[in-house]
Amino acid sequence: DDTLCRNADLPDAAWADRTPGDLLDPDHVHAMPGVAPALERLRKAGFAIVVVTNQGGIARAHGTLADVEACHDTLRAQLPLTPPDKAPHPIAHTLIDACYAAPHHPSGTNTRFADDHPWRKPGPGMVLAAARELNLDLTRSWMVGDKQRDLDAAIAAGIAPARALRVGP
């Protein structure tokens, strides 16, 4: 949110009865301008692209895991490989290799996810899982995010602070 796809500047209709920022409606998922060509350049340079996202709206009972997956599927569809057979990591013809979501929030009302789980950023859980499952070398990895907690999660997982970049508007 606000790193690959729009979030902060979405219309009020995107939130319905949700907390602003809890983007759980695939109809409001829009890749930001320039994201696709930037990811293409990263893929051509040999990088895997992994999304790690807090989705506390699920813990707050504003959506479901299926809603998160629908949003991820929409984002993947907006970021196709061009051409798909030339990418170093061809997975489902998309620029995104994997998506990890933490549906947890300590003040949630959905008791299944009402906690401060290690996957929830700034915890390193999602980054560590991605490294393990995708065989990524965290000493050669980068994190790009729009919040300090993104960078903190990367650093806690073993990514060098100089490789943890914060983007802004």
Side-chain angles (χ1 to χ4, degrees), residues 146-164:
D146 69 318
K147 302 229 174 358
Q148 185 62 44
R149 67 181 171 223
D150 301 321
L151 312 186
D152 293 343
I155 294 164
I159 294 175
R163 290 176 173 254

Side-chain angles (χ1 to χ4, degrees), residues 130-150:
R132 184 176 53 254
E133 293 170 12
L134 300 173
N135 197 30
L136 303 175
D137 180 353
L138 292 176
T139 65
R140 299 180 63 216
S141 296
W142 294 76
M143 168 68 87
V144 178
D146 69 318
K147 302 229 174 358
Q148 185 62 44
R149 67 181 171 223
D150 301 321

Side-chain angles (χ1 to χ4, degrees), residues 39-144:
L39 294 182
E40 284 181 8
R41 288 192 301 275
L42 290 169
R43 287 304 281 287
K44 287 178 184 173
F47 287 96
I49 308 299
V50 179
V51 172
V52 292
T53 177
N54 284 351
Q55 292 296 327
I58 296 171
R60 291 188 288 270
H62 294 161
T64 66
L65 291 170
D67 294 332
V68 172
E69 284 306 312
C71 289
H72 288 166
D73 289 345
T74 298
L75 183 61
R76 286 181 184 106
Q78 293 175 14
L79 300 169
L81 289 172
T82 55
D85 60 338
K86 301 295 184 194
H89 307 285
I91 297 176
H93 303 292
T94 179
L95 289 166
I96 298 172
D97 290 291
C99 294
Y100 292 81
H104 311 273
H105 195 281
S107 64
T109 57
N110 178 337
T111 57
R112 180 177 174 200
F113 301 116
D115 63 358
D116 198 14
H117 193 276
W119 271 40
R120 183 172 170 73
K121 296 180 288 183
M126 289 186 285
V127 177
L128 294 171
R132 184 176 53 254
E133 293 170 12
L134 300 173
N135 197 30
L136 303 175
D137 180 353
L138 292 176
T139 65
R140 299 180 63 216
S141 296
W142 294 76
M143 168 68 87
V144 178

